[in-house]
Amino acid sequence: MTGSCQEPRGRNSSISSPSSPLPSLLMWDIPGTAGSSTPTPLLLFLSPSLAHSLSPDSSIMPPQLESQNQSDLRILQGDLSSLSPAVREFVEANVTLCQPDALHICDGSEEENRTILTQMEEQGMIKKLFKYENCWLARTDPRDVARVESKTVIVTREQRDTVPTPLEGGVSQLGRWMSPEEFDKAMAQRFPGSMKGRTMYVIPFSMGPVGSPLSKIGVELTDSPYVVASMRVMTRMGKSVLSALGTGDFVRCLHSVGCPLPLKKPLVNNWPCNPEQTLIAHIPDCRQIVSFGSGYGGNSLLGKKCFALRIASRIAKEEGWLAEHMLILGVTNPAGEKKYMAAAFPSACGKTNLAMLSPTLPGWKVECVGDDIAWMKFDNQGNLRAINPENGFFGVAPGTSAKTNPNAMETIIKNTIFTNVAETSDGGVFWEGMDQSLPEGVTVTSWKNKLWSPTDGEPSAHPNSRFCTPAGQCPIIDPQWESPEGVPIEAIIFGGRRPEGVPLVYEAFSWQHGVFVGAAMRSEATAAAEHKGKVIMHDPFAMRPFFGYNFGQYLSHWLSMADRPGAKLPKMFHVNWFRKSPTTGFLWPGFGDNIRVLDWMFRRINGKAGAMPSAIGYLPSRDSLNLQGLQGNVDLDQLFSLDQDFWQKEVEEVKNYFTMQVNDDLPNEAARQLEQLQQRVDQM
């Protein structure tokens, strides 16, 4: 028996139909489905495999499940019968698959949140930080500390729908593909009975303000209370979302830590996870996400990178908008004129610091719409409108301080879940780069739950330790941050960590050139993923780990925006706060002084700032950067110097990357922009 992996849509559908015919589901007859005489889909809404692709002697056998009558399930909160038929069927099918002891339908209330946090505290999963108001510390298993790109996959029938085919059969760096057949095997090995002894939580959530025409709805099923508490911070979650959904469709998300009870081996830090079996899979044709074995936020808070970037980028391609790894900020000049900008930086490259910037130029004001993800769509007047689909900040703690980001430090002192930071004996938090001296007698316990000293030779907090905090608490949150129609974007900024060769700021010659600049982005690897060391990596659009479909098609989609009638295309820029001198360290002070670069962009948008063409784009003309009141000496000549040898090597690196990784899927326009850059560099 086969069935569609998408149900018929109701009038309130919030998720578009995929543009291509949907593959069928693999159906297995599961015992114990009350009142049903027809086979039940084991991987209902989860497996995109075509049933007819399996021969009768297929090695994929249905797993042996114990019979579980729905009436035996303890309902701790909520009413299954109140759910829409599609949500209820999704829940019931996965109750049968995962076999939890109990079910909790989340309402998003304060009372529910207190109960969840108290339960986790009693279980030793989190610890109350009594120095702050309603703040908590979680320490994870040291094997579960970051996104695991090597175990994060996109499942499509054709590999080329997910990633370009690398030249000469190499390994793609632009995503990982898994076949439907492999996915079926992986599911069958992991999920049957995975929630035994645990509670399945049903989390209805909205990415974006509830009811906004730019928002999308998901439902996550999880056995992790840490995920419930964190999703309440990071998304709009609960009863209001179910009301807005009605009988419409939604992105289906299934997550399990992969530790059924009773445990086969003891937990580390009371943190359930199954690193050997970790898998994070996305099935864009069916609008589904499946995550197993990891409790870490990037792998388990499925509304975040999984939905808001990987699945949403595919939806955006089909519906004609953009889902991007970008902050959104509002910049107001001393005359009271305001502009909104979006910026794409790889993880841990200063997105949150820029989104919450405290300007050093008098009279300027920066307000934050979002620090990580932007959904952008042209409106009927041709303005590119953006929303922050998230409801909180999931920020990297190390390096955050009163100097680098005072607004973040003010945001996180209440209602915050900290993960893998160090703890002080007076009930506070600590991490590298906090720049706060400890009171006499106060000791530090590291993220490994050991007494820590600066002489230990290792950091007190994990380099990827996080704070999960409500965006509404930010002292400079933008008044329009929850505007249903979004804010109008007038500039798009790309950037990364480039110690050498790349100037502080330059402007793209055109939209097409700007898309190329985004495609050619390179940056030092960060601690947000499992990469080690200071390696310069290609990270196009800061989306390399997050593409939901073929990067060549993604570039074509971006380029197509220029063909939209009446589109008011934002100017595009590239910045590099991290250029170093061989002898004196960073050439630019950064942080609050980055307002000086935003000021130049602001005036460029208005046609009032000087610029001079160079081989790579428009550079600020001399004296066009406002350096009034800048502390210390800044060597502008060194900061903006363009070395021909460096850029010839850069061109070769990008050319090689495009040839090897994007291959036949590289749009002609991107190849043309690369050729033009090479010609300009050769003439330097």
Side-chain angles (χ1 to χ4, degrees):
M1 177 181 177
T2 63
S4 168
C5 73
Q6 288 277 359
E7 292 181 67
R9 285 169 170 64
R11 286 174 297 177
N12 298 324
S13 173
S14 64
I15 306 294
S16 68
S17 301
S19 57
S20 56
L22 292 169
S24 301
L25 281 170
L26 175 61
M27 297 290 191
W28 281 322
D29 193 354
I30 300 176
T33 305
S36 174
S37 59
T38 59
T40 301
L42 173 63
L43 307 185
L44 185 66
F45 315 126
L46 296 174
S47 170
S49 176
L50 288 166
H52 61 69
S53 69
L54 296 173
S55 61
D57 60 348
S58 168
S59 61
I60 303 178
M61 297 298 294
Q64 299 303 304
L65 289 179
E66 298 172 11
S67 174
Q68 176 171 351
N69 196 305
Q70 299 285 352
S71 62
D72 297 336
L73 186 71
R74 289 185 298 129
I75 308 292
L76 302 181
Q77 178 174 294
D79 181 3
L80 265 174
S81 64
S82 69
L83 301 176
S84 73
V87 175
R88 179 170 179 171
E89 193 170 8
F90 174 52
V91 172
E92 290 180 342
N94 288 294
V95 164
T96 304
L97 172 62
C98 301
Q99 300 184 1
D101 274 15
L103 188 75
H104 178 121
I105 301 171
C106 298
D107 62 16
S109 66
E110 183 58 47
E111 181 183 2
E112 173 187 72
N113 187 51
R114 282 197 302 269
T115 301
I116 294 280
L117 291 168
T118 300
Q119 287 175 353
M120 282 196 286
E121 185 179 25
E122 290 170 353
Q123 294 165 4
M125 195 175 181
I126 62 173
K127 183 176 183 180
K128 191 166 181 60
L129 295 163
F130 51 85
K131 189 174 181 178
Y132 316 117
E133 178 187 343
N134 190 35
C135 287
W136 306 83
L137 171 63
R139 292 188 179 100
T140 74
D141 186 311
R143 299 171 298 168
D144 189 24
V145 295
R147 285 184 289 103
V148 190
E149 291 176 18
S150 59
K151 298 182 179 182
T152 301
V153 301
I154 309 287
V155 183
T156 52
R157 171 59 53 197
E158 300 296 329
Q159 182 171 354
R160 198 168 174 180
D161 289 340
T162 294
V163 290
T165 304
L167 190 67
E168 300 172 355
V171 177
S172 177
Q173 299 172 14
L174 291 162
R176 288 182 178 265
W177 173 76
M178 179 178 276
S179 72
E181 291 78 15
E182 286 180 282
F183 176 70
D184 287 335
K185 290 178 183 178
M187 283 291 297
Q189 290 166 358
R190 288 166 172 79
F191 277 93
S194 64
M195 296 187 186
K196 282 184 179 180
R198 298 190 181 276
T199 297
M200 175 187 280
Y201 297 93
V202 181
I203 308 174
F205 64 96
S206 177
M207 300 309 295
V210 177
S212 164
L214 298 176
S215 297
K216 304 288 181 186
I217 287 175
V219 175
E220 177 166 357
L221 311 180
T222 181
D223 55 4
S224 168
Y226 173 88
V227 169
V228 179
S230 301
M231 286 287 282
R232 186 176 184 270
V233 174
M234 294 306 301
T235 72
R236 287 87 174 170
M237 180 264 268
K239 280 184 178 179
S240 62
V241 178
L242 286 176
S243 299
L245 175 63
T247 57
D249 212 346
F250 54 95
V251 171
R252 292 156 168 80
C253 308
L254 175 64
H255 169 257
S256 174
V257 292
C259 292
L261 300 175
L263 294 169
K264 294 180 180 177
K265 51 187 176 182
L267 300 178
V268 178
N269 289 330
N270 295 307
W271 181 266
C273 61
N274 189 345
E276 294 80 11
Q277 292 290 310
T278 294
L279 178 70
I280 303 96
H282 310 71
I283 308 94
D285 281 338
C286 306
R287 310 298 194 235
Q288 297 156 7
I289 304 162
V290 174
S291 175
F292 185 91
S294 172
Y296 168 75
N299 303 324
S300 65
L301 310 183
L302 300 186
K304 195 162 178 56
K305 309 295 193 187
C306 296
F307 181 166
L309 289 179
R310 297 190 189 98
I311 292 295
S313 65
R314 167 70 181 268
I315 296 173
K317 173 177 174 277
E318 293 167 8
E319 295 182 352
W321 49 282
L322 300 165
E324 300 300 327
H325 188 206
M326 293 183 177
L327 65 89
I328 310 167
L329 76 169
V331 185
T332 305
N333 71 6
E337 183 185 1
K338 187 170 188 176
K339 296 185 185 297
Y340 289 95
M341 303 177 181
F345 300 155
S347 295
C349 282
K351 282 199 311 299
T352 301
N353 288 348
L354 183 60
M356 301 185 193
L357 184 139
S358 295
T360 55
L361 281 178
W364 284 84
K365 182 166 68 171
V366 167
E367 291 165 301
C368 176
V369 176
D371 78 324
D372 195 37
I373 297 172
W375 287 0
M376 303 184 289
K377 186 176 183 179
F378 284 101
D379 64 15
N380 293 334
Q381 287 73 48
N383 299 302
L384 185 61
R385 293 271 175 179
I387 62 166
N388 169 15
E390 299 188 294
N391 193 48
F393 303 128
F394 188 65
V396 175
T400 306
S401 70
K403 175 189 174 185
T404 64
N405 196 335
N407 291 310
M409 294 298 285
E410 190 174 335
T411 303
I412 62 180
I413 56 173
K414 61 181 180 180
N415 304 318
T416 298
I417 301 171
F418 295 93
T419 303
N420 287 340
V421 302
E423 176 192 9
T424 59
S425 57
D426 61 349
V429 293
F430 184 79
W431 51 73
E432 280 59 41
M434 184 181 266
D435 293 337
Q436 289 183 7
S437 55
L438 294 171
E440 188 175 348
V442 171
T443 59
V444 174
T445 301
S446 77
W447 74 279
K448 295 180 179 178
N449 204 15
K450 297 176 182 177
L451 202 61
W452 178 86
S453 162
T455 61
D456 285 355
E458 63 178 18
S460 62
H462 188 275
N464 194 42
S465 53
R466 298 279 175 160
F467 52 80
C468 179
T469 193
Q473 294 180 180
C474 179
I476 59 161
I477 198 72
D478 194 271
Q480 296 298 309
W481 86 280
E482 293 191 286
S483 167
E485 66 272 13
V487 298
I489 300 297
E490 294 188 63
I492 293 174
I493 306 166
F494 299 112
R497 285 184 177 268
R498 297 303 305 271
E500 297 177 55
V502 179
L504 175 65
V505 60
Y506 62 93
E507 178 190 332
F509 292 124
S510 64
W511 177 266
Q512 291 81 357
H513 180 228
V515 172
F516 167 78
V517 169
M521 278 175 60
R522 302 175 70 217
S523 183
E524 280 185 345
T526 74
E530 77 268 33
H531 302 292
K532 308 292 183 186
K534 301 288 188 181
V535 180
I536 302 291
M537 295 180 63
H538 292 270
D539 196 349
F541 285 78
M543 280 283 286
R544 183 195 53 77
F546 310 122
F547 292 118
Y549 63 99
N550 183 305
F551 172 57
Q553 298 169 18
Y554 170 95
L555 285 181
S556 295
H557 181 56
W558 264 84
L559 289 165
S560 74
M561 298 297 155
D563 300 327
R564 290 177 168 262
K568 300 171 186 173
L569 299 172
K571 280 185 175 291
M572 292 205 196
F573 301 89
H574 187 282
V575 298
N576 176 30
W577 319 129
F578 303 99
R579 191 168 184 176
K580 291 181 177 179
S581 158
T583 55
T584 59
F586 290 115
L587 290 167
W588 179 250
F591 305 116
D593 283 315
N594 291 337
I595 188 63
R596 302 171 189 278
V597 175
L598 299 183
D599 162 45
W600 181 75
M601 295 176 182
F602 196 110
R603 288 181 286 121
R604 285 294 295 164
I605 295 167
N606 287 342
K608 295 179 180 177
M612 52 188 181
S614 74
I616 63 171
Y618 293 112
L619 297 175
S621 56
R622 186 163 292 277
D623 300 329
S624 65
L625 272 184
N626 183 351
L627 302 181
Q628 179 184 353
L630 185 66
Q631 300 294 313
N633 294 320
V634 171
D635 187 339
L636 290 179
D637 290 335
Q638 198 173 354
L639 194 58
F640 284 99
S641 66
L642 298 179
D643 179 76
Q644 185 181 43
D645 184 56
F646 172 89
W647 279 97
Q648 285 176 333
K649 290 176 181 174
E650 189 78 1
V651 167
E652 284 305 310
E653 287 279 356
V654 173
K655 182 186 292 186
N656 183 59
Y657 186 72
F658 284 179
T659 301
M660 299 301 295
Q661 289 293 319
V662 195
N663 199 4
D664 293 340
D665 289 307
L666 186 70
N668 291 335
E669 180 59 36
R672 190 175 74 87
Q673 290 293 334
L674 176 60
E675 185 179 341
Q676 289 179 347
L677 173 62
Q678 183 167 20
Q679 291 171 357
R680 293 192 300 266
V681 169
D682 287 344
Q683 294 169 8
M684 283 172 64

